[in-house]
Amino acid sequence: MKQAMGIFVLLMVICVGTAIINPNFLSGYNMENTIRWTALFGIISIGVSFVIITGGIDLSIGSVCGLSGTLLAYLLTVKGWSIPMALGTVTLVSLAIGLFHGLLITKMRLQPFVVTLCGLLLYRGLGRYVSDDQSLGFGSDYEGLRQMAIGSIHLAGDFSIPYPIFIMVAVALLSGFLLQFTVFGRYLFALGRNEDAAKYSGINTDRMVLLSYVICSLLAGFGGMLFALDVNSIQPASMGEFYELYAIAAAVLGGCSLRGGEGTIIGVVVGAALMRVLYNAINLLRIPTHLEFAIIGTVILSGVIIDELVKRWVANRRARSTGLQ
Amino acid sequence: MDDSITETTLLHIQGLSKHFPGVQALDGVELSLAKGEVLAVIGENGAGKSTLMKILAGVQDPDSGTIRLNGHTVRIDSVRTALGHGIALIHQELNLADNLDIAANIFLGREPRRYGVIDKRRMAREAKQYLAQLDLDLDPGMLVNRLPIGHQQLIEIAKALSVDTRILIMDEPTSSLSSHEAERLYEVIATLKERGVSVIYISHRLGEVKIVADRVVVLRDGKNVGGLAKDEICRDAMVQMMVGRDIDANQRRTPNPGEDVVLAVEDLRTDVYPEHPVSFSIRKGEIVGMAGLVGAGRTEILETIFGVRAARGGTVKVEEKLIALSHPRDAIDAGVALVPEDRKQQGIILEMNLRENLGLARARRNAKQGRLDKKAEQVLSATMIEKLNIKTPNDKQVAQCLSGGNQQKVVIGKWLAMEPEVLLLDEPTRGIDVGAKQEIYALMEQMAAAGVAILFVSSEMEEILSMSDRALVVHEGQITGEVAAQDLCEERVMQYATGGVKSTTTG
């Protein structure tokens, strides 16, 4: 909680600032969309944070999103599979991808960066091949299914709460529980800090790492399906591109250390929200969109620098106070 | 010590003091060193040896005191200044870039250049000269990681020579060398001496001090407690000065092992010495010390029993039941615990707090359907902190803020929580101050009294002699001797440890 405070304040400052300059920020339509996309990105960011806590990385998330979105539309509209069959198959594929990564990393001792970088290329290619690189949509037959991504609960006036935020909250609560209240979570933090010591304490570190890659790919696949259902027009060649970087950035902003062993789900969710609000603000404030990446990059970098400075300041103060005793 | 000052005195230190929070590391230390003299500085862990050396090498600043070189007072405020004065320190852990070749290492940071590019030919030629000074016939283009550890150390010495070192400080130089490599080192030291280089030699190994040193200075609790001239150097005198008391057989614990064998190891083959199977057994309540030189394969035996290292054959039984030897979890479930040698890397998780560290092994057993039992964890840490007398403000303290002794107690506490039947300890008191050491010994005795079978590896002879009910001596992966408590003496252990006598009978 405490760690997420700084970034939460930053999020609020950007929200308030944007709202003052352009009141449209607070319009029902804009709020709903921002929250929806926060939710979608939140889900894949939560996924990668498991991997980052083990000290690993997953660069394949964007491609997994693309593959699962493409596959879902392809199986439903081209192959005419039933909804449960298609959802089940895509879920299994994501799970298999996670398992594949995990096994290569734990049993073959390959580096996560290399394994998932190759994954990034592999799944993108597969998605384009399966779909013949044709853009796909769900047409009007799957409105019910699409509600999962585009539906919302009407509040008052033109304000509604989009469904995906409920999904994300559920995923976040479950993940938070796993990390904070279960042996699995404790082991994950322990091995992320010091894999040797964890192993010498009798922890099956390989299994824990494997599981974290499975969770990451599952959530990436699930997120990919939601993204596809939301946009309704899927370009196998580009859907989900750079999403892994957004997810990793959200996790890092939210307090995950790429060295492993650090991070909270609440922080990651706030991080994901910050990314989306920033993106939204760039549009609303009529900042040239060409600057978009530059601005997002600058904000993330500043966030990380401030976080590091605060940490050093706290450590110094602690050292000084113990030194005086 | 003033009587040793002559016109050949190169280095003279007076009244050197250094205070750290909670400890007076050095308290008015005096020291003098003549040109071409080999001075051994000995003392127990925490006696102040490392601090003294770090100050000389410019790593740390003293609080007070003077350092005189050739009669001139100097201030050594950085490693660079120290090197400028011709003082070089060779650390216990080697500081070589092992992905570079020998010449590159010798000239690291001072590469000879020609037209702005590194002059490799000149570098190789000069490196060869420095190697020749040490009678080393090595190709300067050879990668350092392909050299045995003993040679790597000689490369460090060559590097020191290349900066015109007049005082070479060696910190436990033989701790990771084989006996053959160590002998080579003694020869090199003799060569250096002839060339007029002075050596300050820090060691725990009193046997080698007798071989290399011209004079011995003993530190205890940061103070000079005495010195010995060449002809006075003998083991008993050194030990007596270091510990401030005579070690005698009466201080040895009274063994009181039970009859039942708890741990039975048969024909166990480790991956380092697969050709030498080892067999031994330990009874309930027995404390067995495993002695031997560094590299004899003792750690590997413990790690194989514990399942962190793959066994190449053989069986381990705990209470008559075979354990699988494939993962530490098998050993832990069978009631075996290991306090590993490298505390910071393998024992505790420095960034985690005490409560989490203490609860790590037990977490799974306490969990309900995978959920952490945080209440039980809290109770456990409170109990262990009290029982083991861990000095900490509270159990939310991060482990890295604790002293080495208290960290080690945390590791032991983590395993006590598992109520083990067999406790394996690898160098349980390495890097720990004298007080905490005694506490750890007391703990081992308590556990043995409670029926735990204890096997500990130690490179400290005093520890082996005073703590073992029985000692197993390992040489190159083989158990070359077994000595009962009443027959334990250093000579005997050393004889077996150096492989001098192969014995199949028990002592």
Side-chain angles (χ1 to χ4, degrees), chain A residues 180-181 183 186 194 200-201, chain B residues 303 345 370 372 377 414:
Chain A
Q180 297 303 325
F181 294 97
V183 177
R186 172 62 53 81
N194 186 338
Y200 276 78
S201 299
Chain B
E303 289 190 345
Q345 192 53 38
L372 285 174
E377 194 177 56
K414 175 173 81 179

Side-chain angles (χ1 to χ4, degrees), chain A residues 30 38 77 152 187 189 200 226:
Chain A
N30 189 59
T38 295
T77 59
S152 58
Y187 284 1
F189 281 107
Y200 276 78
L226 292 178

Side-chain angles (χ1 to χ4, degrees), chain A residues 293-306:
Chain A
F293 280 134
I295 290 174
I296 293 179
T298 311
V299 171
I300 296 174
L301 196 56
S302 324
V304 174
I305 290 173
I306 291 169

Side-chain angles (χ1 to χ4, degrees), chain B residues 14-85:
Chain B
Q14 268 179 315
L16 202 67
S17 294
K18 175 78 183 174
H19 182 83
F20 291 115
V23 55
Q24 185 73 38
L26 291 179
D27 191 359
V29 167
E30 319 248 318
L31 194 101
S32 69
L33 179 69
K35 188 168 170 5
E37 183 182 35
V38 178
L39 174 69
V41 176
I42 63 171
E44 291 194 312
N45 285 328
K49 296 170 307 213
S50 323
T51 309
L52 176 61
M53 298 313 135
K54 281 182 185 159
I55 289 173
L56 279 177
V59 182
Q60 267 164 1
D61 274 336
D63 295 337
S64 59
T66 54
I67 301 172
R68 263 183 281 172
L69 268 173
N70 287 327
H72 304 290
T73 305
V74 293
R75 229 189 117 231
I76 302 172
D77 53 5
S78 71
V79 178
R80 192 167 278 267
T81 341
L83 289 174
H85 288 304

Side-chain angles (χ1 to χ4, degrees), chain A residues 167-232:
Chain A
I167 300 176
M168 189 213 72
V169 169
V171 169
L173 286 177
L174 190 66
S175 304
F177 175 77
L178 272 179
L179 285 180
Q180 297 303 325
F181 294 97
T182 67
V183 177
F184 168 65
R186 172 62 53 81
Y187 284 1
L188 222 51
F189 281 107
L191 77 91
R193 292 285 197 192
N194 186 338
E195 188 163 353
D196 265 358
K199 208 169 174 186
Y200 276 78
S201 299
I203 296 171
N204 192 337
T205 51
D206 282 358
R207 190 182 299 166
M208 303 297 142
V209 170
L210 190 87
L211 253 167
S212 73
Y213 280 91
V214 169
I215 291 174
C216 180
S217 293
L218 264 180
L219 287 178
F222 183 55
M225 291 195 274
L226 292 178
F227 277 117
L229 291 169
D230 180 55
V231 297
N232 199 21

Side-chain angles (χ1 to χ4, degrees), chain B residues 357-427:
Chain B
N357 266 299
L358 282 165
L360 200 56
R362 181 81 200 191
R364 192 167 60 108
R365 202 176 287 179
N366 281 350
K368 300 183 183 97
Q369 280 117 39
R371 273 174 62 196
L372 285 174
D373 187 342
K374 297 204 174 187
K375 182 83 194 150
E377 194 177 56
Q378 190 185 344
V379 173
L380 169 73
S381 83
T383 318
M384 286 305 163
I385 288 172
E386 206 203 307
K387 188 168 175 184
L388 305 184
N389 190 25
I390 299 172
K391 289 177 196 79
T392 174
N394 58 58
D395 67 356
K396 290 289 185 185
Q397 187 84 359
V398 186
Q400 63 191 353
C401 297
L402 298 184
S403 69
N406 282 301
Q407 286 178 353
Q408 189 70 314
K409 290 189 211 164
V410 172
V411 183
I412 295 175
K414 175 173 81 179
W415 292 120
L416 276 187
M418 298 298 283
E419 294 150 3
E421 291 179 57
V422 178
L423 181 65
L424 311 171
L425 302 117
D426 198 350
E427 302 285 359

